[in-house]
Amino acid sequence: MHLARFPRVRLAHLPTPLHPLPRLSDELGIDLWVKRDDCTGLAGGGNKTRKLEFLLGEAFEQDADTLVTQGAVQSNHVRQTAAAAAQHGLKCTVILEERTGSKAVDYVGNGNVLLDRLMGADIRFVPGGSDMAAELERAAVDVRAAGGRPYVIPGGGSNAVGALGYVDAARELVVQADELDLQIDRIVTGTGSAGTHAGLVAGLAVMGADIPVLGIGVRAPKAKQEENVLKLARETATKLGRPDAVTAEMVVADCDYVGEGYGLIDQGVIDALTLAARTEGLLLDPVYTGKAMKGLIALARAGKFEGERVVFLHTGGAQGLAGYHGELEPALL
Ligand SMILES: *Cc1c(COP(=O)(O)O)cnc(C)c1O
């Protein structure tokens, strides 16, 4: 594994911190640590920043002048892409899917959307259920017709190029743990468009680190999520010259905590957000890390991590909290 072979544009503040969560650990009866990828630094940071380093590398290699991507209305990926574009003098066209159906003023105008606008992204809204691959293609055609040179980034930055960012994160985490003589029994992360989970699995497999990764699903059912992650992890390992490194047993998703659906908040998520905030001053988000923590809390309380040291990968997203003001405020009385 030699990541310097791949073009890369430095965007993130690395390494991100790895630290214990003593008060939350006491609450849950496990030894819980957090890997702070909410602190990657790009306009609020989050997990998409690591992926964008390799995606931008490829965009520059192709001499692109416009980044084109898509996401849900409160997408953190879109915010980080808009920031990367602004920082590098590129244009940015984004398509926002009204995936949750919410028309709340804060949801459609505050949080991440407000920041996308602030950073100058050209925004197009499309109804929930739209064919987003086709929408991306259409947007790229429009950019070309206007004389631009588009570089299309899939939703969540999740292809084998983007996943290299999480291969690097796996390496970084193992190096940090080894420096601290800290044995990690398990990594827990949210898993959505799959690039984070797949990159971690591929990176750990290629290193031979043998640390199990549990992805907590935020959208798709378990079989579909595991299939998506496995496929991408294999493509990523192939890019690293180790096509057989990833086995199906390495990919585990628990999709029992999605609740009503993607981006829809429930009491379990609110409880997870408040517990992390009130024990550790740790800000999670309603769509990804709050759901992942809801799952982690339930599994820890059910004794599933008994005696383990668990690292929670904090993938960011707190910039979306303002988009959920209407749901959150009454729950916080
Ligand atoms: C996108 C995102 C995830 C999920 O990562 P994927 O690579 O899409 O699976 C998790 N947490 C946050 C905050 C995100 O924005």
Side-chain angles (χ1 to χ4, degrees):
M1 173 166 126
H2 187 26
L3 291 173
R5 289 194 180 118
F6 302 98
R8 178 174 184 175
V9 174
R10 299 283 172 166
L11 299 167
H13 301 170
L14 301 179
T16 59
L18 170 68
H19 66 78
L21 295 173
R23 283 173 33 83
L24 189 50
S25 292
D26 278 354
E27 194 72 38
L28 300 178
I30 60 171
D31 185 9
L32 183 61
W33 289 58
V34 64
K35 173 69 172 158
R36 297 295 300 273
D37 273 16
D38 58 321
C39 300
T40 54
L42 183 67
N47 61 338
K48 304 315 181 302
T49 303
R50 288 188 191 265
K51 301 180 188 182
L52 284 163
E53 291 198 339
F54 291 94
L55 292 162
L56 242 70
E58 194 177 70
F60 279 125
E61 200 176 54
Q62 296 176 9
D63 196 30
D65 66 1
T66 308
L67 302 181
V68 178
T69 198
Q70 58 98 350
V73 172
Q74 282 294 336
S75 169
N76 302 297
H77 162 67
V78 165
R79 166 180 43 85
Q80 288 160 85
T81 303
Q87 193 183 108
H88 287 275
L90 302 170
K91 294 192 193 108
C92 186
T93 297
V94 302
I95 304 146
L96 298 181
E97 181 196 0
E98 292 160 347
R99 197 182 290 166
T100 67
S102 174
K103 300 276 184 196
V105 285
D106 287 316
Y107 188 78
V108 297
N110 206 338
N112 281 303
V113 190
L114 180 66
L115 303 180
D116 299 342
R117 287 227 160 86
L118 189 61
M119 293 183 285
D122 175 15
I123 302 176
R124 235 181 249 192
F125 287 89
V126 297
S130 296
D131 178 345
M132 295 308 283
E135 293 292 343
L136 271 183
E137 206 26 64
R138 191 167 316 151
V141 166
D142 291 351
V143 169
R144 266 186 223 103
R149 299 184 301 280
Y151 178 77
V152 176
I153 300 174
S158 284
N159 55 21
V161 173
L164 291 175
Y166 273 86
V167 169
D168 190 42
R171 180 203 55 77
E172 181 182 300
L173 176 60
V174 170
V175 168
Q176 280 174 316
D178 287 348
E179 280 170 355
L180 295 167
D181 286 329
L182 189 81
Q183 187 188 313
I184 299 172
D185 297 310
R186 193 181 302 278
I187 299 167
V188 175
T189 180
T191 183
S193 67
T196 303
H197 191 175
L200 279 178
V201 167
L204 293 167
V206 166
M207 276 187 291
D210 211 18
I211 303 171
V213 179
L214 174 63
I216 310 274
V218 298
R219 189 176 184 191
K222 177 180 169 76
K224 183 71 194 155
Q225 188 66 22
E226 288 182 344
E227 181 191 322
N228 292 346
V229 174
L230 180 60
K231 179 167 177 285
L232 185 51
R234 286 198 160 134
E235 285 168 19
T236 309
T238 301
K239 235 179 154 37
L240 298 168
R242 295 282 308 282
D244 301 324
V246 176
T247 63
E249 302 75 59
M250 292 176 184
V251 174
V252 182
D254 184 337
C255 300
D256 290 347
Y257 302 96
V258 176
E260 296 292 300
Y262 174 87
L264 301 177
I265 203 164
D266 56 43
Q267 192 57 45
V269 174
I270 289 168
D271 292 346
L273 292 176
T274 47
L275 187 65
R278 290 171 189 190
T279 55
E280 298 285 354
L282 194 67
L283 299 179
L284 303 179
D285 84 290
V287 184
Y288 296 98
T289 53
K291 251 171 213 180
M293 185 57 79
K294 168 190 165 189
L296 189 157
I297 290 168
L299 292 166
R301 292 200 164 136
K304 295 287 169 24
F305 304 137
E306 187 123 29
E308 289 187 8
R309 179 175 293 125
V310 175
V311 173
F312 178 68
L313 175 66
H314 190 331
T315 44
Q319 294 70 23
L321 281 167
Y324 286 81
H325 172 242
E327 287 88 344
L328 286 171
E329 197 186 320
L332 296 180
L333 290 176

